[in-house]
Amino acid sequence: MTPGPMALNFSEATSHDMFAQRLPPSRDNSLPQVLAAAVTHLHTLIREVRPTQAEWRQVIEFLTDVGHASDERRQEWVLLSDLLGASALVEEINSRRPKTATPNTVRGPFFRADVPQLALGSNISLDGIGETLDVSGRAQDLDGDPIANAEIITWQANAQGFYENQQPDLQPEFNLRGGFRTDSDGRFHYRTIKPCGYGVPDDGPVGKLLRQAGYPLRRPAHLHFMIKAPGFETITTHIYDGSDPHLAEDAIFAVKPELVRTFEPRGKGWLLDLTFVMVRARQGAEI
Ligand code: BEZ
Ligand code: FE
């Protein structure tokens, strides 16, 4: 069949429509519709920025480098999503928890699922470097009833601001990570070290690009938590040290007022007591 005149009329004005016209009619949020929206925005961006061919090749090279920098230990694509504010925006769109429940925030690229299961009271600082922090806490539902046997997974940076999977040759494997289960009162406790704020890694393509653009890459001091219990929505969140002066400049927009706590001094170390409030999973909702 000979193509109609419009079908060959690829131009700045028609490019996105020509792409969309090749897709089948579709419902809201279906793959063809999302693809058409993505291409419309991409073509608008290209028309606005007007890259040269060499510049566009740089974009392709950047994306290739992001792929090559991603593996089981490091998720450069997650870092890109986080630093562009995309992860925080997706979270915001989907966060429908009641005000009294613990909010989610960005998971970040340093999570490991294969974390060791530890007895309550264990010390997750395997090299003992840093100021001692004793963390205790409780998992409860919206009525304040304890959630026994909830899984608490924690991970954090060391006192220099590095995660163990960033420094496999310098830190013991699983340093500053642990998996715990709450007791019959919904309580848990463990020992760690006080985290310090850190710069988002800029040794990979994403950090390098943003640094080159002059974007601030600082993250305020925090602990990461994932809390799982059957029948409840999983909480993936951070707890921030309220004394960190950079809470308002977080590179990934992940600080929420409900997640900022005071670390209490005790002797030579610090104490932190937390309450995680879980919401029952909606039927059919992802948990
Ligand atoms: C983190 O908190 O581990 C993190 C999150 C996003 C980007 C970089 C680090
Ligand atoms: Fe972190």
Side-chain angles (χ1 to χ4, degrees):
M1 202 169 79
T2 330
M6 174 61 188
L8 295 175
N9 219 3
F10 188 91
S11 70
E12 278 195 36
T14 62
S15 64
H16 58 282
D17 278 340
M18 285 190 70
F19 179 86
Q21 276 167 17
R22 294 180 175 185
L23 293 164
S26 58
R27 287 165 290 107
D28 282 359
N29 271 351
S30 62
L31 179 60
Q33 202 188 53
V34 171
L35 202 53
V39 168
T40 299
H41 288 290
L42 176 65
H43 289 202
T44 304
L45 174 71
I46 291 172
R47 277 196 302 271
E48 187 181 317
V49 176
R50 312 194 76 74
T52 61
Q53 273 158 331
E55 285 165 342
W56 190 245
R57 263 198 308 278
Q58 280 186 310
V59 173
I60 305 286
E61 275 162 23
F62 167 74
L63 295 173
T64 306
D65 290 345
V66 173
H68 287 160
S70 301
D71 59 22
E72 259 113 72
R73 282 188 175 267
R74 177 174 186 137
Q75 241 304 355
E76 196 76 1
W77 286 108
V78 174
L79 189 59
L80 182 63
S81 160
D82 293 349
L83 284 171
L84 298 185
S87 305
L89 183 56
V90 170
E91 176 54 43
E92 210 44 46
I93 288 170
N94 289 286
S95 72
R96 278 180 246 115
R97 287 196 184 143
K99 280 261 169 288
T100 52
T102 304
N104 273 358
T105 192
V106 173
R107 186 172 85 174
F110 298 119
F111 170 73
R112 285 182 69 173
D114 57 347
V115 61
Q117 291 300 307
L118 303 172
L120 290 177
S122 298
N123 189 348
I124 62 169
S125 169
L126 303 182
D127 56 11
I129 302 171
E131 292 177 82
T132 302
L133 171 67
D134 283 304
V135 180
S136 57
R138 186 174 194 256
Q140 63 182 48
D141 65 15
L142 283 170
D143 298 325
D145 291 326
I147 303 174
N149 210 30
E151 191 181 355
I152 311 282
I153 298 173
T154 187
W155 69 105
Q156 66 171 85
N158 70 3
Q160 280 78 47
F162 294 100
Y163 289 80
E164 57 79 52
N165 47 348
Q166 287 179 283
Q167 296 187 313
D169 300 331
L170 291 179
Q171 294 189 48
E173 183 160 29
F174 299 121
N175 193 32
L176 301 171
R177 294 178 188 270
F180 300 93
R181 291 269 175 188
T182 56
D183 65 16
S184 55
D185 294 324
R187 297 205 60 91
F188 67 93
H189 67 286
Y190 65 93
R191 177 164 278 191
T192 182
I193 54 122
K194 192 167 180 278
C196 86
Y198 57 87
V200 166
D202 61 2
D203 56 338
V206 173
K208 277 189 192 137
L209 178 88
L210 281 137
R211 185 161 38 82
Q212 208 182 330
Y215 187 82
L217 290 171
R218 192 180 284 281
R219 293 236 54 217
H222 59 274
L223 306 170
H224 289 260
F225 290 97
M226 185 177 284
I227 299 121
K228 298 180 182 189
F232 290 90
E233 286 184 18
T234 296
I235 296 175
T236 304
T237 203
H238 300 32
I239 296 295
Y240 294 91
D241 178 351
S243 70
D244 192 301
H246 301 290
L247 287 169
E249 302 141 36
D250 180 26
I252 62 162
F253 313 97
V255 179
K256 300 183 179 186
E258 306 92 306
L259 302 175
V260 178
R261 291 286 181 286
T262 303
F263 290 42
E264 302 287 348
R266 194 205 48 182
K268 286 195 189 136
W270 300 85
L271 278 186
L272 180 64
D273 191 43
L274 305 170
T275 303
F276 293 112
V277 181
M278 305 188 80
V279 176
R280 287 195 191 276
R282 288 177 299 272
Q283 207 134 42
E286 192 192 336
I287 59 165

